[in-house]
Structures are given as structure tokens and as C-alpha cells.
Amino acid sequence: MAPKIYKSPLPAPRLYDCSLFTHLFSSKDSSDVGGFPGTTPAFIDAVSGTTITRAQLKNFAFSLGQGLRTKLSAERGDTILIYSPNSLTWPVVLFGAVAAGLRCTLANSAYNARELAYQYQDSGAKLIFASEDNVPVVRQTLKDLGLSKTEADKRIIVMANSLQWAGGPSVPIKPELHGLLTAADLLNFGSLKEEEKFDGKLAHETVYLCYSSGTTGKPKGVETTHKNITSVMEIVKVGFPQMKYNEDSMLGILPFYHIYGAVKLLHFPFSCGVPVVIMTRFEPEQFCANIERYQITCSLIVPPVLVVLARHPAVEKYNLSSLYILFSGAAPLGAALAKQVGDRLKSKWKGRKGDVKILQGYGLTETSPTTHLIPVAEAERKVGSIGLLLPHLEARLVVDGDGDGDIDAAEGQPGEIWIRGPTIMRGYLNNPTATKDAITPDGWFKTGDIAIRDAEDYYYIVDRRKELIKYKGFQVPPAELESVLLTHPDIADAAVIGVESAKEATELPRAYVVHAHPEKVQTEAQKTAFAKSVQKWTEGKVARHKFLRGGVVVIDIIPKSAAGKILRRELRERAKQELAGRDPAADVKSKL
């Protein structure tokens, strides 16, 4: 029986086979960059107001690309690693590397030395671009890998705090970083005459390596191609609210190292001629202040930002009337939360023409990322839906996700959503087994998410097959945390699950541990004290988004199957009883 394949109801745009740099920066004449005047602002530093125009960005990218070749002997196909919070330097480094034909792997700026070392080695990166604050971690990483300080420092390029190179404020570099090459230094070695070409079949070469955590614990390098990125930019334009040149502006708070921020803030707005105001990270007061200061019309967010907007006094303090679109992704958005924020903003702006639309989409790192978007006109009627399938993509809802995909879900019934199309990754780097498990021979990517589709072609995510915990859009693999916990001298066994927090609008990692010396934790007070010490100990071992914010519980034995597999369902049921309606985040103070 032929599989039941769903198509997009949206019109299909033209797709391209070329370098993403060519796609974004090609010029019709000397005054044009990517279809818009070169004098148009492209990126703006929120704090100082320092602005890079489209033409300046292209020139900076060509200069940095030449610097990579001349000063650092980088060649087409080499990989650089970027390890920094958001900054005005980010797009210059990223597009400069792409112009030179390099690949970029984007690392979580909160990674510790151990986590960074894995991505650095697995990706095959030769050079590391790091913020001033992150250089000590890089040095520790390279030291742990056996490099001398002299050799390590040759591989580090500092994304310095100073914006003098862009006409902004000059800030002295930290004394301990003197002697290191900076990204600004690389702008002084001439300029590429043109970008490296990736036309035709070459468009299927890898350009980005974002890392997606798996239930096996070790993150996997997702090979995203030029074709993936140029395609997702075009199909998103069909489903996303129309971005108008010289009218719209975006506020960029999502981390650029995440595929959601990388594509939707560094690539997509630029392709629409819309400037992005860059914030280093989300901070409620500054978020609202920047909307007022820069007359922001659209911001891409994650659900925890809406939690803040539902409560924070800054919403009342600043004039946010320019804002028309809040687009949520990376984690499920609840209908109740969307309505709560919408109602608050609506009551504040009585008499204003049009309400703020709170929209949701869906996608994964492996799908570059966006596959579904909800149209503006249906924001309220279809609240809770991830929207319509984007053009050029196909979808299936499969019941036997672990099998051959022979059983399709009945109409209106749940099934694992499989996606096929030009935005599906090339595969997992150095991991053919994982690639084979994720992508079928006929090109279907198995998302691991369970969805239903209604009679109007709208999809709803209802569950997840995979065991990954999603904390504020970041993936937290239980197995990785378990492996860290098992290195604790007083822990004999451990299991980690996600517990839902309505307060924080996210899942929180919660650990169950077995004490190696049960006689030491006989009383509840002893168990509580040990659990808190484990929570604190873990914070020194992992990135912030992996902290055990859902708590630590001491138990006698970890429930497992006969084959030794952790029975997480039993632990989830146990957690429900333990919490008994209490939000796990009740005692947690966390920042996005």
C-alpha cells in the first residue's frame, strides 16, 4: 500500500543551487547588495547603536575571508568553530568564513572545557573564534587536549568587545589576551575578489555544523548545506509574516549558535532587507527598552520569554506599540500562555490599529530548521498549532516509527511526523549509523515528535518519542547528565527525566540517584542535604541549560527493564506523585 504523503497548501517559490553567500549578497550594480540598497542597515549593536550596513557587511566579510586565507592559511573546506555570545562581530565572522569557502561549527557559548573539546575534535575545526570572556575556557580545552600555550594561542582568534573597527566605541582588550589575534586584525590583509562558488551540485556541500544532542548522550554534528539554507530562506518567506523593507526591524535575542537564531536572525531578515538589532542575551528590562528605542516591529522568541512578558513590570514601563509580531519557536508554546500575553498587550494598547500576533512554528536542527509556520490571520483561531507545512516539503504521520514506516496514522490520529524535502540535513558528521537511523533510504527524516493533522492542514505536536529534555529551546540529553552524575564519588546509579514547569513554560531536568553508601542517607534530612549537594556539584560540570533545575531525588534503586534500559515512564509517574501539583520551578531562580 502506498504511503500517505501530505503536501503543503502554500505556493512553491523558486529554489536556488548556489552558495548561501552568493544568494544573500549578489549585487545587480555597485549600489545594490542582495536586492536592497547597500546603505541599508543590516545589523545594529543594541547597547551602542553601532550599525553595519549591507555594503559594509559584504566588504567586512570579504576582508575577513582574505585574512583567514592570508594570515591563517585557511583553505576551502576547512572548519572554524565560533564560541561566543551574540555580538556585532558574529555576522562578520560567519559570512567571512562562508565567503572563503569554509565550514562553520557553532558552539554553545556556555559550554565548559569538556563539552567544547568534544565539538572541537568531532567537527575537525582548525581555528576557534571566541569572545574575550570565553578565551580562558578555550585555552583550558586546548591544554586538556595536550597543546602547549604557544601552540594553542595560534588557534584562537578573539572576537573582542571593541567595536572601533565598525565605527563604534573603542574598548581595551583584556590584558591577559594581549598578543592574540583578533577578528578585527583579520580585516587588514586585503579583500577577496569574490566569494567561493558552490553552484549546481556543489550547493549540497556542508556549510554549517550545529550540534544536536541525542538520547545516546553524545551530541551529533548536523551537516547543513548551502542548499538547505537557501531553500529554507525562500520557503519561510511564503509562510512568515511579510517583512517590509524600510518599515520592519527585528530584535535579536536568540543565541546565534543555535540553528533557530543563526538562520532566523543572521540570514532570513537580511534576505528581506530588514535590519536586526543584536542583544547579547535576553534581559526583560533591556528587551522592552530596545523595542521602544529602535521601534522594533518583530521579535523571535522562545516560550520562557512570554512567561516574563506576562508578568514583568517593564512591559508597563516602556512604549512597545511598534511591536506587531512575536514569533515563538524551539519549544512548544501553550495556548494559555499565548493568550495571557496577548491579552496583556492588548489591554495596554487600546485604540492601536491591530493587535500583537503571537505565532508559533516548528522545526529541528536537522530540518534547517523551519518546516511549519502558522499564518498571521490564523494566529488566534489556530492557537496551539504549529501551523501549515511549508512549500517544497512533504510530511507523513507514521505509527510504526521504529519500523519501516509501513503503517500510516488514520486521518485525525497521532503519528510520528516524518519530513522530506530540500531542507533536510545531509546527515550526521562522522556518524553513518545515526544518519541511517534518522533518514530513510527514500529521504524521510524521522523527527521523533508525535503530531496530528486536522481537516484544514494544520498540525499539532502532541508528544515526543525521543527522550530528549527541552529546556527553554535547548536540548538536554538525559544520558549525558547521567554519565556526569555517575562520576560523583557517592552516586552508584542515576537516571534523569524532564518534568514540566508551567511557571517557566519549559521542561526542567530532574535526577534520581542511588547513594553509593545508603547508610549515610537514612533520614529525609540527610537525603535532602545530599540531593542539594549533588545539584550544586553538577553545576560545576555542565553548561547552564543542563543544570538540574527540576531537583534531585535520592531513591533506593533505578527502575530498569530486563535488558537494563531505564524505565523513564515509571520515574515520570513517580515525579507526578512527588510534586503533587506543585510546580518544580517553585524554588528555582533561573535565567534564560
Side-chain angles (χ1 to χ4, degrees), residues 395-406:
R396 291 183 63 197
L397 295 176
V398 177
V399 174
D400 64 329
D402 285 323
D404 297 323
D406 294 332

Side-chain angles (χ1 to χ4, degrees), residues 116-443:
L116 185 66
Y118 174 78
Q119 185 166 335
Y120 175 70
Q121 288 187 294
D122 188 69
S123 67
K126 293 189 173 182
L127 303 167
I128 301 179
F129 282 79
S131 65
E132 291 191 31
D133 288 343
N134 280 0
V135 169
V137 180
V138 177
R139 280 176 161 165
Q140 184 63 50
T141 295
L142 298 177
K143 180 182 178 182
D144 292 346
L145 293 176
L147 276 70
S148 67
K149 184 175 182 297
T150 301
E151 184 58 36
D153 283 356
K154 291 178 183 177
R155 305 188 185 191
I156 301 171
I157 301 94
V158 185
M159 297 167 71
N161 297 329
S162 176
L163 293 178
Q164 187 175 14
W165 57 271
S170 175
V171 180
I173 197 167
K174 292 183 176 182
E176 62 270 25
L177 304 183
H178 279 284
L180 290 178
L181 193 67
T182 69
D185 291 336
L186 291 178
L187 302 177
N188 300 316
F189 293 89
S191 176
L192 298 173
K193 292 182 179 178
E194 63 175 8
E195 72 273 17
E196 282 286 313
K197 303 295 185 180
F198 291 85
D199 296 332
K201 291 182 179 180
L202 295 180
H204 295 279
E205 288 192 19
T206 301
V207 62
Y208 296 143
L209 284 164
C210 291
Y211 273 67
S212 175
S213 299
T215 53
T216 56
K218 286 197 173 183
K220 300 187 291 291
V222 175
E223 293 197 63
T224 302
T225 68
H226 290 271
K227 177 75 173 185
N228 290 156
I229 298 296
T230 60
S231 296
V232 80
M233 282 191 282
E234 293 307 310
I235 67 175
V236 163
K237 286 177 185 175
V238 178
F240 199 81
Q242 185 180 1
M243 294 283 98
K244 297 176 182 176
Y245 168 71
N246 231 14
E247 290 185 26
D248 286 305
S249 58
M250 277 195 183
L251 184 56
I253 61 168
L254 303 173
F256 294 159
Y257 60 75
H258 192 288
I259 189 76
Y260 181 23
V263 172
K264 292 298 197 57
L265 291 175
L266 294 178
H267 295 74
F268 177 68
F270 189 87
S271 74
C272 299
V274 171
V276 174
V277 177
I278 298 173
M279 289 180 63
T280 303
R281 61 182 60 84
F282 175 70
E283 194 285 317
E285 188 86 15
Q286 288 306 309
F287 178 80
C288 295
N290 285 327
I291 290 174
E292 177 181 287
R293 177 182 177 185
Y294 293 103
Q295 292 295 287
I296 299 297
T297 59
C298 175
S299 185
L300 307 184
I301 56 170
V302 289
V305 171
L306 287 180
V307 173
V308 174
L309 294 181
R311 308 168 186 167
H312 203 281
V315 172
E316 307 297 332
K317 184 176 175 181
Y318 295 94
N319 181 356
L320 312 183
S321 60
S322 63
L323 188 66
Y324 277 90
I325 299 292
L326 286 170
F327 181 86
S328 181
L333 171 64
L337 178 59
K339 187 176 186 305
Q340 185 181 5
V341 175
D343 288 348
R344 184 183 188 193
L345 296 179
K346 190 184 295 184
S347 66
K348 183 180 185 316
W349 301 331
K350 282 180 181 176
R352 191 190 83 159
K353 214 174 182 181
D355 298 326
V356 173
K357 301 297 183 183
I358 301 174
L359 309 175
Q360 181 173 201
Y362 172 78
L364 304 96
T365 304
E366 291 87 345
T367 57
S368 306
T370 313
T371 64
H372 293 71
L373 288 172
I374 192 159
V376 176
E378 303 295 346
E380 293 180 10
R381 188 173 74 90
K382 292 291 185 179
V383 66
S385 168
I386 59 171
L388 301 169
L389 183 69
L390 292 177
H392 288 291
L393 300 180
E394 298 174 305
R396 291 183 63 197
L397 295 176
V398 177
V399 174
D400 64 329
D402 285 323
D404 297 323
D406 294 332
I407 308 173
D408 290 297
E411 290 291 338
Q413 295 301 305
E416 182 186 3
I417 187 166
W418 290 11
I419 303 290
R420 183 168 68 180
T423 62
I424 302 302
M425 66 171 180
R426 185 176 179 179
Y428 294 118
L429 181 71
N430 306 324
N431 201 333
T433 301
T435 301
K436 186 177 179 182
D437 289 343
I439 304 176
T440 67
D442 52 348

